[in-house]
Every structure is written in C-alpha cells, then in structure tokens.
Amino acid sequence: MAIAQNHPEIDLAQYIDHALLQPTVTPEQIAGGCEQAIQYNFPAVCVYPAAVRQAVEILHGKSPQVCAVIGFPAGATTRETKLYEAQEAASNGATELDVVINLGMLKSGRTDEIYREIAQICEETDQTVKAILEMTVLTPTEKRLAAEICMDAGAAFLKTSTGWFGGATLDDVKLLKDLGRGKVGIKASGGIRTAEDAIALILAGATRLGTSRGVELIRQRTMNNE
C-alpha cells in the first residue's frame, strides 16, 4: 500500500470501526474491546450477532455504535436467514449492519436477488446498512455491478471486504469513491496494519476503516506525531 504523508489534520480515531470478529472471541474480549472504543471514541464496534446484547449494554449512553455482521463471512446463507439475522441484531440494539452480499449469485448473474436481499434488510430494519462486496474475489465489471446494485437497494455504505479473503486496496477504495459519487460512505476493511496504511486509505476516499488493530494504529499515530 502506498505510503501516506503524516497529515496531522486527520483524526484517525474518528474513522475506526473496532472489529471484534475473531472466531474465538470471548465475552471478556468483547467487554475489553468496547471499553477501548469508549476510550478512543471510535465510531463503532463490530461484533457477531451473538455479542450484540453485551456490546449494547456496555455502550449504552456512550458514543460508539454497535455494528453487527450479517451473513459473515461468506454471504452464502439464504435471503430469509440474513433478514432474520439482521432483524434480530437490530431488535437487540445494533444500529449498524455489515451485510455480506451473496457472491455466487453475483457471479451467476442473479442480480435481482442481491438487490432484494439488501433492499429488504434496509427497509425492514431501518438501520445503517454497509454492504460488504468482497472485492478481492470480483472482476472489475463485477465490482462496479455490485456497488451499483447495493446503492440502488439503499445501502448507506459500500465496504471493500470482510478481511477473510484479502484486504482493502487503494484502487478499490478509489473505485468505490468514484462510483458512490458522495452519496454513500466507503468502508475499507482488511489488511490495515499501519497508521500509514490507514491514512492512505482515508486519502483515497475511505470514510470508515474496519480493523481489529484500531488501538495499535492510534498508538502508532501518536508516536509518529511526537
């Protein structure tokens, strides 16, 4: 990833969705991650649906939002299953939903089904939906098509990837920024290992960063600015 200049005017913490998505994540780790989000004033913590209630209880009255991943990480569950998962997460207090699109449907041309899936979740939960496109496994044509479908369906953000099959690239973030035309947020996720990586993605157009290294990035940033 290209090296970014320091850019002290960028408040890195304001971009970070603090990901607590390791398969082995424990309630104690969820609690610790939520406390970190409060301490650093991250916009959101991102958790599995099973952890939503715990995160909501800890973050009640605090600034960070609770984001639940839906259909994570493969996106291959049925539309009805994703809708139920999203509705349950919303009823438990999640205000943001990161939804993995069905990649097999996209590649087989069943675009109407993807549209219905995202549109129904947007309409029936009335929460902020971030559509995860998993761009590392898509062709350039598929990337554009997936972005347009999800925007038309009402997604508030386009998200590059889950991080499970490769991470965000500057080119993909720039592409989503161009396609979004300022109408949706852009979430870069996966492979953000340094503060310089993070700043480069923000300069490319990212408005959120999905990472489990949020605290480490802030500490790097502080050291670089001293």
Side-chain angles (χ1 to χ4, degrees), residues 158-180:
L158 300 174
K159 180 177 173 180
T160 60
S161 49
T162 60
W164 284 49
F165 309 103
T169 68
L170 295 178
D171 285 343
D172 281 343
V173 170
K174 290 174 183 176
L175 174 62
L176 293 180
K177 179 184 178 183
D178 290 343
L179 294 173

Side-chain angles (χ1 to χ4, degrees), residues 43-221:
V45 296
C46 201
V47 299
Y48 288 106
V52 166
R53 283 186 178 177
Q54 180 190 3
V56 167
E57 289 176 2
I58 296 170
L59 295 172
H60 179 71
K62 306 297 183 181
S63 178
Q65 300 297 299
V66 176
C67 172
V69 291
I70 306 299
F72 192 89
T77 51
T78 65
R79 177 163 54 91
E80 292 79 8
T81 299
K82 285 184 187 176
L83 177 61
Y84 178 84
E85 190 175 32
Q87 289 175 321
E88 183 182 45
S91 69
N92 286 337
T95 56
E96 300 186 0
L97 305 168
D98 281 18
V99 183
V100 187
I101 68 170
N102 191 307
L103 300 164
M105 287 183 181
L106 179 68
K107 287 185 172 290
S108 62
R110 296 157 65 186
T111 55
D112 287 349
E113 294 182 53
I114 297 173
Y115 175 87
R116 286 198 296 272
E117 179 176 272
I118 297 298
Q120 191 170 20
I121 291 173
C122 289
E123 292 168 3
E124 299 197 22
T125 66
D126 195 31
Q127 303 297 345
T128 297
V129 171
K130 308 188 199 95
I132 306 178
L133 309 185
E134 206 65 86
M135 296 180 76
T136 57
V137 301
L138 303 182
T139 67
T141 298
E142 289 167 346
K143 292 176 183 180
R144 292 178 176 273
L145 181 59
E148 294 291 352
I149 292 169
C150 292
M151 287 191 293
D152 288 347
F157 282 78
L158 300 174
K159 180 177 173 180
T160 60
S161 49
T162 60
W164 284 49
F165 309 103
T169 68
L170 295 178
D171 285 343
D172 281 343
V173 170
K174 290 174 183 176
L175 174 62
L176 293 180
K177 179 184 178 183
D178 290 343
L179 294 173
R181 300 179 291 276
K183 298 178 181 179
V184 295
I186 308 299
K187 181 173 175 178
S189 185
I192 307 172
R193 293 179 173 83
T194 68
E196 288 187 340
D197 288 345
I199 297 301
L201 289 165
I202 292 168
L203 294 174
T207 57
R208 290 278 189 96
L209 303 173
T211 177
S212 61
R213 298 182 177 92
V215 174
E216 179 184 343
L217 298 181
I218 297 302
R219 289 173 179 168
Q220 288 181 21
R221 180 79 161 148

